[in-house]
Amino acid sequence: MNINLYFSGIKLAAVSLLAMLVACTSTTVDEFRQGETGIESDESVVVLGRRQASDYETRADFVQCVGDRMSRGENAINVIPEQEFIDAMFPWFEPRTAPLRTRDLEQLMAEDVVARKMSEFGIRYIVWVDGFKETTDRQGTISCTIGPGGGGCFGFGTWEDDANFDARVWDVSSLTNVGTINTDATGQSYLPALVVPIPLIARVEANACNRLATQLKQFVIGS
């Protein structure tokens, strides 16, 4: 058999398979409002990740993604970078000492240095993001071989990705929790291998970031 024709046939089959497979994602957003909101041009928001859990911590990259999206586009909001805020407020917002409830924030604001720093940043809202992405339901196998005529990988794999994140919005001016937004993005990822593995990854975390940031922006601006 002509090796070139053989591999050309495999490549054609791979292209046909990829055309049939699309890594798609579905995203749902739920909002629970507990108070009125609004923000002035000289006020800011800081988005922080919860990291007190023993089995996981909210990824800094996701928190940064939400903050970046909120600070861009139409009705952009001034967002203070997480690490800049934490460094300036050391040690009050480190994982072991960060306030877990609004009454803890009220106690912190009684400290002159904390109140002064908040005022310097112009913080109106603190957004606490808590969540993670997990991979489940892995199926399929892929094997790779090397021989005299060349090598390659053959097989098929699939799995489900789920990204679930909650965002709690604290109003620093009233020291209250004004609402919670939940975003859940799920998607099926594929890894077909005909000579070369070609991953088709469901972008659940990116979709969750975009939808959560959009909803937070609308929530903070209010009616």
Side-chain angles (χ1 to χ4, degrees):
M1 176 184 291
N2 187 303
I3 294 295
N4 291 331
L5 289 176
Y6 174 73
F7 280 106
S8 295
I10 290 179
K11 290 177 181 178
L12 181 60
V15 171
S16 300
L17 179 61
L18 291 177
M20 292 186 292
L21 294 177
V22 178
C24 58
T25 302
S26 63
T27 307
T28 59
V29 179
D30 295 314
E31 177 183 302
F32 177 62
R33 178 178 288 274
Q34 295 174 262
E36 295 297 320
T37 55
I39 191 168
E40 302 296 332
S41 59
D42 60 342
E43 294 177 325
S44 303
V45 172
V46 62
V47 182
L48 304 174
R50 283 293 186 194
R51 300 186 176 92
Q52 285 86 356
S54 59
D55 56 341
Y56 75 93
E57 64 176 35
T58 307
R59 292 178 59 248
D61 288 349
F62 184 84
V63 175
Q64 182 180 349
C65 175
V66 174
D68 288 345
R69 297 294 188 278
M70 291 181 68
S71 64
R72 298 194 307 223
E74 187 178 359
N75 297 321
I77 294 172
N78 184 32
V79 178
I80 306 300
E82 179 185 37
Q83 197 57 53
E84 178 183 342
F85 178 82
I86 291 176
D87 290 345
M89 300 296 291
F90 182 83
W92 292 284
F93 283 83
E94 295 296 314
R96 293 184 179 180
T97 56
L100 297 176
R101 298 167 293 274
T102 51
R103 64 185 180 187
D104 299 331
L105 178 63
E106 185 176 1
Q107 294 175 356
L108 276 183
M109 291 296 288
E111 300 281 346
D112 290 340
V113 63
V114 175
R116 186 173 66 253
K117 289 288 186 182
M118 287 283 193
S119 179
E120 290 174 359
F121 278 121
I123 302 293
R124 174 63 189 274
Y125 297 102
I126 297 175
V127 177
W128 286 105
V129 177
D130 188 4
F132 59 96
K133 185 188 83 170
E134 65 176 343
T135 298
T136 58
D137 196 24
R138 289 186 178 273
Q139 299 180 26
T141 59
I142 294 176
S143 61
C144 299
T145 60
I146 298 177
C153 296
F154 300 89
F156 182 81
T158 181
W159 63 90
E160 183 172 299
D161 290 318
D162 179 59
N164 190 289
F165 292 90
D166 289 322
R168 297 183 182 274
V169 184
W170 290 2
D171 188 336
V172 176
S173 65
S174 62
L175 299 174
T176 59
N177 180 6
V178 291
T180 303
I181 298 172
N182 173 263
T183 303
D184 185 24
T186 60
Q188 197 76 22
S189 296
Y190 305 96
L191 184 61
L194 289 173
V195 182
V196 177
I198 303 177
L200 301 172
I201 306 300
R203 301 178 70 249
V204 293
E205 199 163 317
N207 285 7
C209 167
N210 290 332
R211 292 291 300 277
L212 182 58
T214 299
Q215 195 73 15
L216 277 169
K217 188 189 295 187
Q218 296 173 354
F219 183 93
V220 166
I221 292 173
S223 58

